[in-house]
Amino acid sequence: MAAEKTKPLVGILMGSKSDWEIMQYCAAQLEELSVPWEAQAISAHRAPDALLDYLSTALERGLEIIIAAAGGAAHLPGVCAAKTILPVLGVPMESQSLKGLDSLLSIVQMPGGVPVGTLAIGKPGAINAALLAVSILGGKHPGYRQAYQEFRRQQTMKALADRVLKLQKETSKAAGAGFKH
C-alpha cells in the first residue's frame, strides 16, 4: 500500500534511483502483506540535507521502520541509524567492482551504539527486509503479526508439498539407454 492510500509505516530509502530495480521487491512484499510504505531515492552523499530533513520528520509522520538500501560505500543505512531512533534495516546493493561485498561490509560494520539490522545482498535482502519489518511491526500491530504468520504457514505448506521427489520418465529412459545387457 503505497503512501497515497494510507499513512506509511515503513520508509524505503535508497541511495540512488537505480536501486529501485531491486528494492521494488521489498515494496511488493510489503504490499502483499498490506503494510503501507513510501519510497524515496535520497543520497547520503549527494543530498545530505534532504536526507536529514526526511529523517527528522519520520517519527512525527508515523513511520515505524526505515529500510535503507545502498551500494558501494553504503553510508545511507548508517546515517539513517545515526539520525533517527527508528529501527533501521540495511540492504546492501550489488556493486560492479566487488559484487556487493563492499556494501555488505560497510553496512554490517556499524560502531556499537548505532545499530543497523543488515540483510543479504540484493533481491533476497530486499524481500527479507520487508518480512523482518512486518515481523517487527507485528509486535505492536496484531494484524501484521497474523499476516506474517499466514505468510510463513503458506511458505511451509508450499515447501512440504514439493518435498517428495520422483524420477522423471525421460531421465529414466536416458539413463537406461547407455546400458547393454
Side-chain angles (χ1 to χ4, degrees):
M1 237 172 272
E4 57 272 358
K5 296 180 184 173
T6 306
K7 187 169 84 168
L9 295 177
V10 178
I12 304 170
L13 296 177
M14 56 216 82
S16 169
K17 189 176 181 180
S18 63
D19 296 334
W20 184 237
E21 181 180 335
I22 295 298
M23 293 309 293
Q24 288 183 82
Y25 293 100
C26 178
Q29 187 66 69
L30 290 170
E31 192 88 13
E32 183 181 317
L33 297 172
S34 300
V35 175
W37 56 272
E38 66 182 21
Q40 293 191 28
I42 309 174
S43 170
H45 299 122
R46 294 180 296 274
D49 292 338
L51 177 61
L52 297 181
D53 288 344
Y54 177 90
L55 295 170
S56 70
T57 63
L59 196 59
E60 66 191 45
R61 290 184 297 112
L63 291 180
E64 295 188 23
I65 298 172
I66 302 287
I67 297 173
H75 291 131
L76 181 62
V79 171
C80 290
K83 296 304 286 184
T84 183
I85 61 165
L86 295 174
V88 176
L89 306 178
V91 181
M93 294 288 98
E94 188 170 328
S95 58
Q96 289 182 334
S97 57
L98 296 173
K99 303 295 182 208
L101 186 57
D102 50 344
S103 312
L104 173 65
L105 293 174
S106 180
I107 296 170
V108 82
Q109 291 295 337
M110 291 299 297
V114 188
V116 172
T118 307
L119 287 296
I121 297 167
K123 181 180 173 181
I127 293 168
N128 282 341
L131 293 171
L132 184 55
V134 176
S135 179
I136 293 167
L137 289 169
K140 180 179 176 184
H141 305 279
Y144 296 128
R145 182 175 340 131
Q146 292 168 351
Y148 184 61
Q149 286 173 327
E150 179 60 19
F151 170 84
R152 295 288 301 266
R153 188 186 71 73
Q154 288 180 14
Q155 179 178 252
T156 299
M157 287 177 48
K158 183 180 183 317
L160 292 175
D162 295 340
R163 72 180 177 175
V164 177
L165 306 175
K166 296 179 181 177
L167 193 58
Q168 296 177 3
K169 288 186 178 186
E170 302 86 42
T171 306
S172 179
K173 289 178 185 177
F179 288 107
K180 293 186 180 177
H181 298 233

